[in-house]
Amino acid sequence: MSFEFFCATDTGRARNNNEDSVAIDEPSSLIVLADGMGGYNAGEVASGMATSFIKTELGRWLQEASSTASDTDVRRAMDICVDNANRAIFNAANSNPQYAGMGTTLVVGVFRDGRLLMGHVGDSRGYRLRAGRLVQITHDHSLLQEQIDAGLITAEQAAFSANKNLVTRAVGVEDTVLLETHMHDLMPGDMYLLCSDGLSDMLDDESIAQLLQVSYSLDEVGGALIDAANDAGGKDNISVILARVRGSSGPTRSWWPFRR
Protein backbone atom coordinates (compact mmCIF):
# COMPACT_ATOMS: atom_id res chain seq x y z
CA MET A 1 0.00 0.00 0.00
CA SER A 2 1.01 3.62 -0.49
CA PHE A 3 -0.27 6.74 1.23
CA GLU A 4 -0.93 10.37 0.38
CA PHE A 5 -0.77 13.05 3.08
CA PHE A 6 -1.77 16.66 3.69
CA CYS A 7 -1.67 18.90 6.75
CA ALA A 8 -2.58 22.48 7.58
CA THR A 9 -3.21 24.64 10.61
CA ASP A 10 -5.05 27.95 10.92
CA THR A 11 -5.32 30.48 13.75
CA GLY A 12 -9.10 30.82 13.34
CA ARG A 13 -11.06 34.01 13.79
CA ALA A 14 -11.11 34.45 17.57
CA ARG A 15 -7.48 33.82 18.60
CA ASN A 16 -4.34 35.86 18.00
CA ASN A 17 -1.92 32.95 18.35
CA ASN A 18 -1.95 29.34 17.24
CA GLU A 19 -1.48 26.67 19.93
CA ASP A 20 -1.98 23.79 17.48
CA SER A 21 0.88 21.93 15.82
CA VAL A 22 0.94 19.34 13.03
CA ALA A 23 3.70 17.18 11.59
CA ILE A 24 4.05 14.55 8.86
CA ASP A 25 7.04 12.29 8.27
CA GLU A 26 6.33 10.73 4.88
CA PRO A 27 9.31 8.31 4.79
CA SER A 28 7.95 6.56 7.89
CA SER A 29 4.24 7.21 7.12
CA LEU A 30 3.90 8.98 10.48
CA ILE A 31 1.38 11.73 11.28
CA VAL A 32 1.14 13.78 14.48
CA LEU A 33 -1.31 16.46 15.65
CA ALA A 34 -1.33 18.35 18.95
CA ASP A 35 -3.50 21.07 20.49
CA GLY A 36 -1.69 22.92 23.27
CA MET A 37 -3.00 24.51 26.42
CA GLY A 38 -1.52 26.77 29.06
CA GLY A 39 -0.64 30.40 29.78
CA TYR A 40 0.89 32.98 27.48
CA ASN A 41 2.48 31.11 24.55
CA ALA A 42 2.84 27.98 26.70
CA GLY A 43 0.27 25.99 24.74
CA GLU A 44 2.10 26.42 21.47
CA VAL A 45 5.36 25.49 23.21
CA ALA A 46 3.83 22.24 24.48
CA SER A 47 2.23 21.26 21.17
CA GLY A 48 5.35 22.16 19.23
CA MET A 49 7.54 20.11 21.56
CA ALA A 50 5.21 17.12 21.25
CA THR A 51 4.99 17.05 17.45
CA SER A 52 8.68 17.82 16.93
CA PHE A 53 9.87 15.23 19.43
CA ILE A 54 7.60 12.45 18.16
CA LYS A 55 8.27 13.17 14.49
CA THR A 56 12.03 13.14 15.08
CA GLU A 57 12.35 10.25 17.51
CA LEU A 58 9.56 7.93 16.36
CA GLY A 59 10.15 8.77 12.71
CA ARG A 60 13.83 7.84 13.00
CA TRP A 61 13.01 4.60 14.82
CA LEU A 62 10.41 3.62 12.23
CA GLN A 63 12.83 4.18 9.36
CA GLU A 64 15.58 2.19 11.09
CA ALA A 65 13.26 -0.65 12.13
CA SER A 66 11.69 -0.73 8.67
CA SER A 67 9.41 -3.70 7.91
CA THR A 68 11.17 -6.01 10.37
CA ALA A 69 9.37 -4.44 13.35
CA SER A 70 6.22 -6.16 14.55
CA ASP A 71 3.07 -4.25 15.37
CA THR A 72 3.82 -4.82 19.05
CA ASP A 73 7.27 -3.28 18.52
CA VAL A 74 5.72 -0.22 16.89
CA ARG A 75 3.16 0.13 19.65
CA ARG A 76 5.92 0.01 22.27
CA ALA A 77 7.97 2.56 20.35
CA MET A 78 4.93 4.87 20.28
CA ASP A 79 4.48 4.46 24.03
CA ILE A 80 8.15 5.19 24.73
CA CYS A 81 8.30 8.26 22.45
CA VAL A 82 5.11 9.74 23.88
CA ASP A 83 6.33 9.06 27.41
CA ASN A 84 9.63 10.81 26.65
CA ALA A 85 7.80 13.76 25.08
CA ASN A 86 5.53 13.92 28.12
CA ARG A 87 8.49 14.06 30.49
CA ALA A 88 10.21 16.75 28.41
CA ILE A 89 7.11 18.96 28.45
CA PHE A 90 6.44 18.28 32.15
CA ASN A 91 10.03 19.13 33.08
CA ALA A 92 9.97 22.31 30.99
CA ALA A 93 6.71 23.38 32.64
CA ASN A 94 8.15 22.81 36.10
CA SER A 95 11.46 24.55 35.46
CA ASN A 96 10.12 27.65 33.68
CA PRO A 97 7.46 29.75 35.48
CA GLN A 98 6.10 31.09 32.18
CA TYR A 99 5.31 27.53 31.08
CA ALA A 100 3.69 26.38 34.33
CA GLY A 101 0.67 24.17 33.72
CA MET A 102 1.22 23.75 30.00
CA GLY A 103 0.17 20.58 28.24
CA THR A 104 -1.21 19.32 24.97
CA THR A 105 -3.59 16.85 23.40
CA LEU A 106 -2.08 14.39 20.94
CA VAL A 107 -3.08 12.15 18.06
CA VAL A 108 -0.39 10.06 16.39
CA GLY A 109 -0.79 7.59 13.55
CA VAL A 110 1.60 5.12 11.93
CA PHE A 111 0.51 3.66 8.59
CA ARG A 112 1.75 0.19 7.74
CA ASP A 113 0.84 -2.19 4.93
CA GLY A 114 -2.81 -2.98 5.55
CA ARG A 115 -3.18 -1.37 8.95
CA LEU A 116 -3.01 1.84 10.94
CA LEU A 117 -1.70 2.08 14.50
CA MET A 118 -3.21 5.14 16.15
CA GLY A 119 -2.66 6.57 19.61
CA HIS A 120 -4.29 9.56 21.25
CA VAL A 121 -4.47 11.61 24.43
CA GLY A 122 -7.15 14.24 25.07
CA ASP A 123 -9.96 15.43 22.81
CA SER A 124 -8.26 15.92 19.46
CA ARG A 125 -9.80 13.35 17.15
CA GLY A 126 -9.27 10.78 14.45
CA TYR A 127 -11.92 9.94 11.83
CA ARG A 128 -12.14 7.44 8.97
CA LEU A 129 -14.14 7.95 5.80
CA ARG A 130 -14.83 4.67 4.00
CA ALA A 131 -17.29 4.28 1.15
CA GLY A 132 -18.90 7.60 2.05
CA ARG A 133 -19.40 6.71 5.73
CA LEU A 134 -17.61 8.72 8.42
CA VAL A 135 -16.67 7.06 11.72
CA GLN A 136 -14.88 8.64 14.68
CA ILE A 137 -12.11 6.19 15.59
CA THR A 138 -10.88 7.93 18.75
CA HIS A 139 -12.74 8.35 22.02
CA ASP A 140 -12.41 11.77 23.64
CA HIS A 141 -10.62 11.94 26.98
CA SER A 142 -12.84 14.73 28.28
CA LEU A 143 -15.26 15.49 31.08
CA LEU A 144 -18.00 15.88 28.50
CA GLN A 145 -17.38 12.42 27.05
CA GLU A 146 -17.39 10.90 30.54
CA GLN A 147 -20.78 12.52 31.19
CA ILE A 148 -22.10 11.11 27.89
CA ASP A 149 -20.72 7.65 28.68
CA ALA A 150 -22.33 7.75 32.13
CA GLY A 151 -25.71 8.69 30.62
CA LEU A 152 -25.79 12.03 32.43
CA ILE A 153 -26.27 13.99 29.20
CA THR A 154 -27.01 13.16 25.59
CA ALA A 155 -24.73 13.82 22.64
CA GLU A 156 -27.21 16.48 21.51
CA GLN A 157 -27.02 18.25 24.89
CA ALA A 158 -23.23 17.99 24.81
CA ALA A 159 -23.12 20.28 21.78
CA PHE A 160 -24.30 23.16 24.00
CA SER A 161 -22.34 22.27 27.14
CA ALA A 162 -20.03 24.75 28.87
CA ASN A 163 -17.60 21.89 29.62
CA LYS A 164 -16.46 21.32 26.05
CA ASN A 165 -12.79 22.09 26.59
CA LEU A 166 -12.16 20.23 29.85
CA VAL A 167 -9.89 17.28 29.05
CA THR A 168 -9.26 14.45 31.51
CA ARG A 169 -5.94 13.42 29.99
CA ALA A 170 -3.16 15.48 28.39
CA VAL A 171 0.53 15.23 27.54
CA GLY A 172 2.86 17.11 29.87
CA VAL A 173 0.57 17.95 32.79
CA GLU A 174 1.74 15.02 34.95
CA ASP A 175 4.96 13.03 35.07
CA THR A 176 3.29 10.08 33.32
CA VAL A 177 0.61 9.83 30.66
CA LEU A 178 -1.46 6.96 29.28
CA LEU A 179 -1.57 6.77 25.49
CA GLU A 180 -4.71 5.02 24.26
CA THR A 181 -3.68 2.94 21.25
CA HIS A 182 -5.72 1.07 18.66
CA MET A 183 -5.21 -0.76 15.41
CA HIS A 184 -7.45 -0.34 12.37
CA ASP A 185 -7.61 -2.19 9.09
CA LEU A 186 -6.90 -0.21 5.91
CA MET A 187 -8.67 -0.45 2.58
CA PRO A 188 -7.77 1.30 -0.68
CA GLY A 189 -9.69 4.56 -0.91
CA ASP A 190 -9.92 5.08 2.86
CA MET A 191 -9.41 8.66 4.00
CA TYR A 192 -8.29 9.44 7.54
CA LEU A 193 -8.69 12.80 9.24
CA LEU A 194 -6.93 13.98 12.38
CA CYS A 195 -8.21 17.28 13.75
CA SER A 196 -8.14 19.59 16.74
CA ASP A 197 -11.39 20.58 18.43
CA GLY A 198 -11.26 23.85 16.53
CA LEU A 199 -12.69 21.81 13.65
CA SER A 200 -14.85 19.23 15.45
CA ASP A 201 -16.50 21.84 17.71
CA MET A 202 -17.45 23.98 14.71
CA LEU A 203 -18.69 21.25 12.35
CA ASP A 204 -20.88 18.22 12.98
CA ASP A 205 -19.96 14.80 11.60
CA GLU A 206 -22.36 15.07 8.66
CA SER A 207 -20.76 18.33 7.54
CA ILE A 208 -17.27 16.89 7.92
CA ALA A 209 -18.24 13.82 5.87
CA GLN A 210 -19.61 15.99 3.07
CA LEU A 211 -16.52 18.19 3.01
CA LEU A 212 -14.19 15.19 2.88
CA GLN A 213 -15.81 14.34 -0.45
CA VAL A 214 -15.84 17.77 -2.13
CA SER A 215 -12.73 17.00 -4.18
CA TYR A 216 -10.19 14.29 -4.91
CA SER A 217 -7.43 16.74 -4.05
CA LEU A 218 -6.41 16.56 -0.39
CA ASP A 219 -5.27 20.19 -0.58
CA GLU A 220 -8.73 21.29 -1.62
CA VAL A 221 -10.43 19.09 0.97
CA GLY A 222 -8.21 20.43 3.76
CA GLY A 223 -8.82 24.00 2.67
CA ALA A 224 -12.58 23.42 2.53
CA LEU A 225 -12.60 22.01 6.09
CA ILE A 226 -10.71 24.99 7.50
CA ASP A 227 -12.81 27.50 5.57
CA ALA A 228 -16.02 25.88 6.83
CA ALA A 229 -14.83 25.93 10.45
CA ASN A 230 -13.96 29.61 10.09
CA ASP A 231 -17.30 30.37 8.45
CA ALA A 232 -18.99 28.69 11.43
CA GLY A 233 -17.22 31.07 13.80
CA GLY A 234 -13.60 29.96 13.92
CA LYS A 235 -13.67 30.12 17.72
CA ASP A 236 -10.42 28.20 18.15
CA ASN A 237 -7.31 27.25 16.21
CA ILE A 238 -8.10 24.77 13.44
CA SER A 239 -5.78 21.96 12.43
CA VAL A 240 -6.24 19.04 10.05
CA ILE A 241 -4.15 16.15 8.80
CA LEU A 242 -5.50 14.07 5.94
CA ALA A 243 -4.21 10.68 4.81
CA ARG A 244 -5.51 8.65 1.88
CA VAL A 245 -4.79 4.98 1.28
CA ARG A 246 -3.72 3.84 -2.15
CA GLY A 247 -2.92 0.33 -3.34
CA SER A 248 -4.63 -2.93 -4.15
CA SER A 249 -4.10 -5.07 -1.05
CA GLY A 250 -7.07 -5.76 1.20
CA PRO A 251 -7.39 -5.37 4.94
CA THR A 252 -5.17 -7.64 7.00
CA ARG A 253 -6.78 -7.22 10.39
CA SER A 254 -9.91 -5.94 12.03
CA TRP A 255 -9.90 -3.08 14.55
CA TRP A 256 -8.69 -4.08 17.97
CA PRO A 257 -7.36 -2.23 21.04
CA PHE A 258 -3.94 -2.63 22.52
CA ARG A 259 -3.95 -3.10 26.26
CA ARG A 260 -1.23 -2.25 28.74
Side-chain angles (χ1 to χ4, degrees):
M1 281 185 168
S2 62
F3 310 100
E4 179 184 1
F5 301 101
F6 167 86
C7 68
T9 184
D10 187 87
T11 303
R13 293 187 172 176
R15 302 284 183 92
N16 293 321
N17 64 320
N18 192 341
E19 295 186 325
D20 289 0
S21 182
V22 292
I24 294 173
D25 187 58
E26 292 200 31
S28 60
S29 298
L30 167 67
I31 56 177
V32 192
L33 181 146
D35 179 356
M37 62 197 77
Y40 178 71
N41 286 339
E44 60 192 69
V45 171
S47 65
M49 287 179 67
T51 56
S52 177
F53 191 100
I54 294 169
K55 177 183 177 181
T56 301
E57 297 301 319
L58 184 57
R60 179 168 56 228
W61 183 90
L62 288 167
Q63 291 185 60
E64 291 174 353
S66 187
S67 58
T68 60
S70 68
D71 293 333
T72 300
D73 293 336
V74 176
R75 176 260 185 177
R76 177 159 176 76
M78 291 171 67
D79 274 343
I80 291 171
C81 286
V82 171
D83 182 63
N84 289 340
N86 180 79
R87 290 181 183 275
I89 296 168
F90 180 79
N91 289 338
N94 281 275
S95 59
N96 298 279
Q98 67 270 33
Y99 298 153
M102 73 175 177
T104 183
T105 68
L106 178 70
V107 190
V108 53
V110 176
F111 288 85
R112 314 197 80 197
D113 189 27
R115 56 217 186 271
L116 163 66
L117 283 79
M118 178 172 283
H120 78 286
V121 178
D123 63 354
S124 292
R125 293 180 176 178
Y127 291 90
R128 180 187 66 210
L129 181 75
R130 175 177 291 170
R133 180 171 178 261
L134 185 72
V135 176
Q136 182 180 334
I137 56 174
T138 56
H139 194 71
D140 293 354
H141 302 137
S142 67
L143 177 60
L144 199 61
Q145 188 63 56
E146 288 186 356
Q147 291 175 330
I148 294 171
D149 293 344
L152 299 176
I153 61 172
T154 65
E156 291 73 20
Q157 291 170 329
F160 304 98
S161 173
N163 296 327
K164 273 190 173 183
N165 303 118
L166 299 178
V167 296
T168 55
R169 198 184 301 186
V171 177
V173 297
E174 297 180 354
D175 58 353
T176 61
V177 68
L178 177 62
L179 180 72
E180 182 176 339
T181 316
H182 308 100
M183 182 175 286
H184 305 266
D185 68 286
L186 299 178
M187 296 186 67
D190 281 355
M191 187 183 296
Y192 291 84
L193 164 69
L194 306 190
C195 68
S196 61
D197 61 357
L199 182 80
S200 56
D201 280 353
M202 293 292 98
L203 304 176
D204 59 26
D205 286 4
E206 182 179 354
S207 299
I208 292 174
Q210 291 175 351
L211 289 165
L212 287 174
Q213 300 173 85
V214 298
S215 171
Y216 187 76
S217 164
L218 293 188
D219 290 28
E220 292 182 9
V221 171
L225 287 166
I226 290 173
D227 288 346
N230 274 323
D231 290 344
K235 295 180 181 179
D236 200 350
N237 308 141
I238 308 156
S239 291
V240 300
I241 297 180
L242 296 170
R244 181 159 49 213
V245 181
R246 293 173 169 172
S248 58
S249 60
T252 60
R253 192 175 302 203
S254 297
W255 179 94
W256 56 279
F258 284 118
R259 298 187 184 277
R260 283 185 177 267

